[in-house]
Amino acid sequence: TIRLFIYQVPLSGPMRLQGGGQSAGVPGPTLAPKPAAGAALRPAGFGAALASTLPYTVVVTEMGSNGIRLLGGPLLHTGTQAHGVDVLDGTPYAYVTNFGADPGTVSQVDLRSMRVLRTYTVGLGPAHIVFLPGRRAVVTNFRSNDLSLIDAGTGTVSRVAFPSDTCFQ
């Protein structure tokens, strides 16, 4: 079951739940009419209709199935225990951490063709990946207690070690 939630995320202070908890596709309260330009979006309640209007592609990782899928699509095997995913802004490329691979890997996936284009070798137990401004990504390597920096422009990977080598565990 997929559940959708709507949060108000201010620039400072705590997030507030605005609505949600409904299963996707189940009728629920609808959103208020679209606000005028410059006005804040204020949901009147939850509505699955909101999700269908957003300009996003939903990528689901499946650790047990060793791959990813677009919501409702077929599984693409990326590597052992696919876990974290991020998309390089302005491109059709998703990057997926393969937590159980030894050595750890990150797969570059073309979301248009759903094919693995490239595999980067990173530290052990890559869990999460986040792109920085530009074409560089940071990968948290849970089992090797370090970070990997991927430069998607040059294809290089470098390690960031910590003095105690115990930053994650």
Side-chain angles (χ1 to χ4, degrees):
T1 301
I2 297 173
R3 301 222 181 254
L4 303 174
F5 298 87
I6 300 171
Y7 284 89
Q8 176 188 21
V9 183
L11 293 176
S12 64
M15 297 187 321
R16 287 187 350 166
L17 179 63
Q18 297 293 305
Q22 292 287 111
S23 295
V26 175
T30 58
L31 290 175
K34 186 174 180 176
L41 176 64
R42 301 206 187 285
F46 172 79
L50 172 66
S52 66
T53 65
L54 297 174
Y56 299 106
T57 299
V58 178
V59 179
V60 179
T61 59
E62 295 186 15
M63 286 185 82
S65 300
N66 301 319
I68 66 166
R69 68 177 76 235
L70 297 181
L71 192 59
L75 182 74
L76 169 67
H77 293 279
T78 59
T80 306
Q81 293 181 313
H83 180 66
V85 63
D86 197 11
V87 176
L88 178 57
D89 285 345
T91 74
Y93 305 124
Y95 291 74
V96 181
T97 61
N98 299 304
F99 185 83
D102 190 8
T105 61
V106 172
S107 299
Q108 177 189 15
V109 175
D110 184 330
L111 295 175
R112 297 167 300 188
S113 64
M114 287 304 288
R115 294 192 180 173
V116 174
L117 300 178
R118 181 176 198 161
T119 301
Y120 298 90
T121 300
V122 295
L124 298 175
H128 303 105
I129 182 167
V130 175
F131 272 92
L132 303 172
R135 300 180 65 86
R136 293 183 310 146
V138 177
V139 179
T140 58
N141 299 308
F142 183 77
R143 290 184 9 235
S144 56
N145 294 308
D146 58 11
L147 300 173
S148 293
L149 293 176
I150 297 175
D151 186 322
T154 65
T156 59
V157 178
S158 56
R159 179 177 185 253
V160 176
F162 294 87
S164 66
D165 265 349
T166 58
C167 65
F168 297 110
Q169 292 184 4

